[in-house]
Amino acid sequence: MFQNIGVPGLILILVIALIIFGPSKLPELGRAVGSTLREFKKSTKELISDDEPEKSQPKKEEKAI
C-alpha cells in the first residue's frame, strides 16, 4: 500500500497534516498513532505465539505390534 510513496510523498503528507491539525496537535496525534501501532503489533505477536505451540508439537508415533 505505501510502497510507492517515497520522500516527496511523505513530505506532502506531513505538510497537509500540519495545515489540517496545526503544530500544537501534531505531537499528540503522533503519540496516538504510535500507541495504536504498538498495541496492534503486540496483539499480532500474541496471536502468532498462540498458534505456534499447536504447529510445533510433534505427532505421537504409534508403535507397530
Side-chain angles (χ1 to χ4, degrees):
M1 181 175 172
F2 295 111
Q3 298 168 359
N4 298 327
I5 289 181
V7 175
L10 290 176
I11 292 172
L12 180 64
I13 291 171
L14 183 62
V15 168
I16 291 171
L18 187 62
I19 291 170
I20 292 173
F21 297 110
S24 61
K25 291 284 185 178
L26 279 182
E28 188 177 315
L29 184 65
R31 279 190 289 274
V33 170
S35 64
T36 302
L37 288 175
R38 194 176 316 115
E39 184 66 31
F40 178 75
K41 188 176 179 180
K42 179 182 171 186
S43 298
T44 55
K45 282 185 179 182
E46 287 176 1
L47 286 174
I48 291 171
S49 67
D50 287 346
D51 289 342
E52 284 180 2
E54 295 173 6
K55 292 179 182 178
S56 64
Q57 291 177 353
K59 294 181 181 180
K60 293 182 181 178
E61 295 181 21
E62 296 181 22
K63 294 182 180 180
I65 298 177

